[in-house]
Amino acid sequence: MAIDFISGWLGGCAGLYAAHPFDTIKVRLQTDGLKGQYKGMIDGFIQTFEREGSFALYKGVTSPLFGVALINGIVFGTYGPTLRWWQNRRQQSGQTPSRSSHYYDVFVAGAVAGFVQSFVCSPVELAKINLQLQKDKVGIMGRPAQNAGRLYTGPVDVMKKLIRQQGVRGFYRGLNSTLLRDVPAFGVYFASDEFFCNWLAGENGSVADLAAWQVMLAGGSAGCASWIINVPFDVVKSRIQGDSITQPKYRGVVDCFTKVSKEGLRALFRGTVPILIRAFLTNAATFVVYKYSLKSMNRWLQQEE
C-alpha cells in the first residue's frame, strides 16, 4: 500500500503542473453565469493573461500541490488493495474470472477510491476554486500587484475564514457534489485505463510491455472518458464552492442544478473543452509517472530481498 501511495503522489504532482492553467480557465468559465465575461476557453486565457498576468493561470496551485500527495496517495493507495481484496474474494467464492468481471472489479475498486478521496479532495478544491476566482490587478513582470484588494492570501487563509464564518460545515461545502462527481468518475477512470491498455497491448501482448507513449495515451483517454460523463456535476460543484459565504445564491446540489439548468443546457457543460484538454494532459502525466514509479520501486524491493 505504501508503494501505491508514493507512486500516486509522484504521478499526481506531475499531472498537476502539466495542466493547472486549463483548470483555472475551466473554473472561471463554469462560474461565469448567464451573461458571461468570457466567450470561451481562448478568450478566457487572453483576458486572464492581459488583466492579471501569466501567474494568474497558476492561481490556487499551492492548495492542490500540498493536497495532491494525500489525494493521489489515497486514490491509488485505496484502489490497489481494494482491487486485490475484491479479486481474492471472487476467487475464494469459486467464481471463474472473465474479462467483463475484471472490468467490473476495476470499476468497483475505482469507485471506492473515489468515495474515500472525496473527503480530502473537497476542501482542497474549495480553497483552490476560491483563489482561482479572485481577480487581481497586474503588477510588475505579470505578477499580481500588492494590496490589490485580495480577499484571500492563500489556501490556509481561505480555510481559516470559511471555518470562522461557517464552522466545519463551511470546510466541507460542496462535499455532496464532489461525491456525485468522483464516485462514478473514478470507477470509469480506472476501468477505461484498463480497457485502453489492453486494447493497445493487443490479444497476444502484455500491458506490462507498453511503451511510455502508450501508457500516456491510455491514461489521457481514460481521463477524458471519466470527465465527459461528469461535467454537469463539476459545474454544480464549482458554482457551490465558489458561491458567496455571506450571501449564498445556492441552497444545495438540487437547487444549484435547477438554477444552472435555467441558463440553458449549455451552462451545464460550460468549460468542457478546457476540462478535456486538462484531463488528457493531467492523466497522461499521472499514469505514466505512477506506473513507472510503481514498476521501479517493486523492482528495487525485489533486489533488496
Side-chain angles (χ1 to χ4, degrees), residues 18-27 41 45 274-275 277-278 281:
H20 190 77
F22 290 96
D23 184 68
T24 297
I25 300 303
K26 180 265 293 185
V27 168
M41 181 185 71
F45 270 109
I275 280 177
I277 295 174
R278 168 185 171 270
L281 293 174

Side-chain angles (χ1 to χ4, degrees), residues 107 181-197 216-233 269 272-273 275-284 287:
F107 178 87
R181 182 194 70 175
D182 286 355
V183 172
F186 274 95
V188 173
Y189 179 53
F190 282 103
S192 297
D193 178 69
E194 193 77 7
F195 169 80
F196 287 123
C197 283
M216 293 178 72
L217 179 61
S221 300
C224 291
S226 68
W227 270 102
I228 196 66
I229 63 170
N230 279 298
V231 173
F233 291 114
F269 288 89
T272 300
V273 174
I275 280 177
L276 294 180
I277 295 174
R278 168 185 171 270
F280 188 90
L281 293 174
T282 298
N283 294 291
F287 262 109

Side-chain angles (χ1 to χ4, degrees), residues 153-180:
T153 57
V156 176
D157 187 48
V158 174
M159 302 318 298
K160 279 182 179 178
K161 289 178 177 175
L162 288 173
I163 293 173
R164 189 182 305 133
Q165 294 184 15
Q166 296 184 315
V168 178
R169 181 185 174 189
F171 187 76
Y172 275 105
R173 191 173 75 195
L175 175 61
N176 290 337
S177 52
T178 303
L179 287 166
L180 285 171

Side-chain angles (χ1 to χ4, degrees), residues 94-246:
Q95 296 181 35
T96 304
S98 63
R99 176 160 289 190
S100 60
S101 67
H102 174 69
Y103 287 133
Y104 175 78
D105 293 345
V106 170
F107 178 87
V108 170
V112 171
F115 176 83
V116 174
Q117 66 86 45
S118 293
F119 292 89
V120 177
C121 176
S122 183
V124 167
E125 291 202 352
L126 176 62
K128 173 184 71 69
I129 285 172
N130 278 273
L131 289 170
Q132 287 175 323
L133 293 177
Q134 239 176 195
K135 306 293 174 67
D136 296 324
K137 294 178 181 178
V138 180
I140 299 172
M141 297 293 290
R143 293 178 180 272
Q146 292 184 348
N147 302 318
R150 286 182 170 190
L151 179 60
Y152 307 112
T153 57
V156 176
D157 187 48
V158 174
M159 302 318 298
K160 279 182 179 178
K161 289 178 177 175
L162 288 173
I163 293 173
R164 189 182 305 133
Q165 294 184 15
Q166 296 184 315
V168 178
R169 181 185 174 189
F171 187 76
Y172 275 105
R173 191 173 75 195
L175 175 61
N176 290 337
S177 52
T178 303
L179 287 166
L180 285 171
R181 182 194 70 175
D182 286 355
V183 172
F186 274 95
V188 173
Y189 179 53
F190 282 103
S192 297
D193 178 69
E194 193 77 7
F195 169 80
F196 287 123
C197 283
N198 287 328
W199 178 68
L200 288 168
E203 291 186 7
N204 300 320
S206 172
V207 171
D209 296 329
L210 289 177
W213 70 267
Q214 292 175 308
V215 174
M216 293 178 72
L217 179 61
S221 300
C224 291
S226 68
W227 270 102
I228 196 66
I229 63 170
N230 279 298
V231 173
F233 291 114
D234 189 56
V235 171
V236 169
K237 186 189 77 69
S238 294
R239 292 283 185 103
I240 291 173
Q241 292 190 319
D243 201 7
S244 170
I245 299 174
T246 54

